[in-house]
Amino acid sequence: MQTTTHFDVCIIGSGPGGYVAAIRAAQLGMSVAVVEKRGCFGGTCLNIGCIPSKAMLDSSEKYHTAGATFARHGIIADNLRIDLATMMSRKEKVVQTLVDGVAALLKSNHITTFSGIGRIASADTVTVLTPDGNISVHAGSIILATGSVPAQLPALPVDHELIVDSTDALSLDRVPRHLVVVGGGIIGVELASVWARLGAQTSIIEKMPQLAPGMDTQIARSLQRSLAGLGISMHLEAQVVECKRQAKTAVLQAKTKDGRIVDFPADKILIAVGRRPFTDGLGNDRVGIELNESTGRIMVDKGYQTSCRGVYAIGDLVHGPMLAHKAEDEGIAVAELLAGKPGHVNYDTIPSVIYTNPEVAYVGRTQEECRQQGIDYGAGIFHFKANGRALAADHADGFVKTLAERGSDRLLGVHIIGPNASELIVEAVTTMEYGGSAEDIARSVHAHPTYSEAVRESALAVDGRAIHAPPSNL
Ligand code: FAD
Ligand code: NAD
């Protein structure tokens, strides 16, 4: 056993939670160690999550757009074909560039890195298990940022061949003929989009009454229509009954909403039913770190401290949405708190984005939540088909919905399905962060012609003042 020197903080896991916490702690003058078992930095997000999925979404979108829309722009693109190997290697290059970038950032911030499995030995010591022996890392504070892994369905165990998880589905070596996706959440709809665009006959089996449960119902219906336009068949309130396997294919049987048993032939079945926090072998039980019994997430106080003094936890391991930007902000907050600064995360203004086409993005309360919470609100909707930029760009599907409290006009939520929704949502996030109103957005000058004018028009529509919509639409 080799014992290293003492660090102010030791972080286990180098995903967006862990590496961002490390950089911020180093900026604040702390000596920092990061332990990562993957062999490279960046966690789920950079290696097998956000980045490779967006690379595949962008490549597949280019292929699909060329085939489906170029002709009406007067561009003839005959003989379109897919070179899947090139598509995959481009994705790998994007991932490698970003992973190398994180390594360079850790180095330039003088952060010490250890490659191996980190295990909590005591409240101030992490043991790093490496092929060459164990290393003991002493630290004033320990931050756990070990993220999450795909949840499993016992009836459909992932074999990485026929039944795959999201990691496998980002690296298939051929386009499936029949892809069945179990789970119509964010991963389900994004990866169904990728493979449907590339030619797979794709079905989604979702147990709840809408896709991506929790999302604004009107947006979910609109998303469902756009996915149907890609040829994806969606079965809501459906349950998998049985999987009859042959050598390389299967017939998945599901009970649909109307009680029928429907056969889904498949040469790939993607299990996308959520993710579970990853604490396996972490040693949290040794030091009495409490987990939430139903979710398995590590319980933390407002300062991210676990039930073991000196040990903190952030990211997918703890409460809240499993999102990279949420993990990053918690990484910054915990580092600032350790430095005696007032770090915090505003959980009311965390945006969610689904990178379908059109994209979906939202922040704040839904209309359903406003009703449930007895909030008196006004809603304004503006459709992209009345937005000049969207028409010019041939991206006129979708709408923006703005919700504001009656009386105070405080912005409660903004829900977008449409072009560049992922970028447009930041205006709503910033306005809400400042406690702003629909009027604040409505009174701000938006460049013309831009998609962002639709956000402004929806804010005007809260009071029936949208300019480019007939009064009956408001
Ligand atoms: P992770 O990124 O999971 O990192 C944890 C790290 O800890 C890993 O590198 C792991 O190897 C390491 N580790 C675990 N245990 C140990 C140990 N004992 N010792 C040493 N190292 C250990 N979120 C978004 O916001 N936007 C998106 O577009 C998006 N797309 C996604 C697409 C997919 C397909 C998936 C699966 C996820 C996506 N997410 C997205 C979610 C996002 O990836 C996670 O919310 C985010 O990565 C969580 O960050 P984290 O730092 O908590 O953990
Ligand atoms: P999810 O929680 O978003 O969706 C899981 C879906 O599976 C739900 O709709 C659920 O009702 C359904 N489901 C559960 N059990 C089922 C069953 N037995 N049969 C049929 N349906 C079932 O989880 P996910 O899509 O796996 O994504 C995991 C996490 O990764 C999410 O928390 C998400 O925030 C994150 N993620 C984010 C992005 C993004 O920000 N664009 C992209 C991908 C993943």
Side-chain angles (χ1 to χ4, degrees), residues 153-172:
L153 279 183
L156 290 171
V158 169
D159 60 15
H160 305 290
E161 294 284 338
L162 174 63
I163 305 181
V164 299
D165 61 19
S166 58
T167 306
D168 305 315
L170 288 167
S171 294
L172 301 181

Side-chain angles (χ1 to χ4, degrees), residues 13 17 36-38 43-44 49-50 54 118 146-147 316 322-325:
E36 173 56 59
K37 65 171 187 174
R38 189 184 294 275
T44 303
C50 326
K54 266 77 258 179
T146 53
D316 283 7
M322 289 186 170
L323 295 172
H325 42 284

Side-chain angles (χ1 to χ4, degrees), residues 65-349:
T65 304
T69 72
F70 273 19
R72 63 174 179 254
H73 292 259
I75 302 166
I76 311 305
D78 287 339
N79 277 328
L80 272 180
R81 282 166 302 129
I82 296 162
D83 173 355
L84 192 57
T86 301
M87 205 178 274
M88 289 293 172
S89 72
R90 188 195 83 93
K91 173 203 71 176
E92 292 305 332
K93 272 186 215 143
V94 173
V95 168
Q96 198 56 51
T97 304
L98 288 164
V99 165
D100 290 347
V102 172
L105 285 171
L106 294 176
K107 194 171 175 197
S108 60
N109 279 285
H110 307 292
I111 292 162
T112 305
T113 57
F114 295 94
S115 183
I117 297 173
R119 197 166 276 174
I120 313 161
S122 68
D124 66 358
T125 306
V126 171
T127 304
V128 186
L129 283 64
T130 80
D132 305 323
N134 295 351
I135 303 169
S136 228
V137 179
H138 297 298
S141 306
I142 296 171
I143 301 174
L144 307 175
T146 53
S148 63
V149 291
Q152 303 276 339
L153 279 183
L156 290 171
V158 169
D159 60 15
H160 305 290
E161 294 284 338
L162 174 63
I163 305 181
V164 299
D165 61 19
S166 58
T167 306
D168 305 315
L170 288 167
S171 294
L172 301 181
D173 57 6
R174 60 180 178 78
V175 178
R177 286 189 60 204
H178 295 280
L179 171 68
V180 178
V181 179
V182 181
I186 308 189
I187 290 183
V189 300
E190 286 189 355
L191 292 182
S193 299
V194 166
W195 293 108
R197 289 169 189 164
L198 297 180
Q201 271 190 35
T202 305
S203 309
I204 296 178
I205 298 173
E206 165 59 49
K207 69 175 184 182
M208 301 299 279
Q210 73 167 51
L211 296 174
M215 188 204 293
D216 175 276
T217 311
Q218 206 178 347
I219 299 262
R221 272 195 233 115
S222 182
L223 171 65
Q224 197 177 330
R225 275 195 298 277
S226 69
L227 294 174
L230 275 180
I232 298 175
S233 75
M234 280 151 287
H235 306 269
L236 304 179
E237 293 182 71
Q239 278 172 10
V240 175
V241 175
E242 203 187 340
C243 180
K244 293 181 178 165
R245 292 190 66 141
Q246 286 113 33
K248 292 193 167 173
T249 59
V251 175
L252 195 73
Q253 289 194 319
K255 190 174 177 186
T256 54
K257 191 179 166 184
D258 54 11
R260 283 181 308 131
I261 303 290
V262 178
D263 283 352
F264 294 90
D267 53 345
K268 284 285 177 236
I269 299 172
L270 166 62
I271 307 298
V273 294
R275 293 176 65 81
R276 69 166 175 90
F278 185 69
T279 52
D280 302 6
L282 190 56
N284 45 295
D285 37 348
R286 277 198 211 168
V287 291
I289 292 177
E290 278 178 45
L291 305 184
N292 178 302
E293 262 179 43
S294 58
T295 61
R297 301 220 195 178
I298 291 182
M299 312 257 277
V300 288
D301 63 16
K302 280 192 175 157
Y304 305 100
Q305 188 157 215
T306 69
S307 46
C308 175
R309 211 177 147 70
V311 181
Y312 299 77
I314 56 170
D316 283 7
L317 269 185
V318 302
H319 61 84
M322 289 186 170
L323 295 172
H325 42 284
K326 177 258 191 190
E328 288 186 32
D329 276 28
E330 289 176 343
I332 291 171
V334 74
E336 292 182 345
L337 289 166
L338 288 178
K341 294 184 175 297
H344 95 125
V345 176
N346 183 353
Y347 290 92
D348 292 335
T349 57

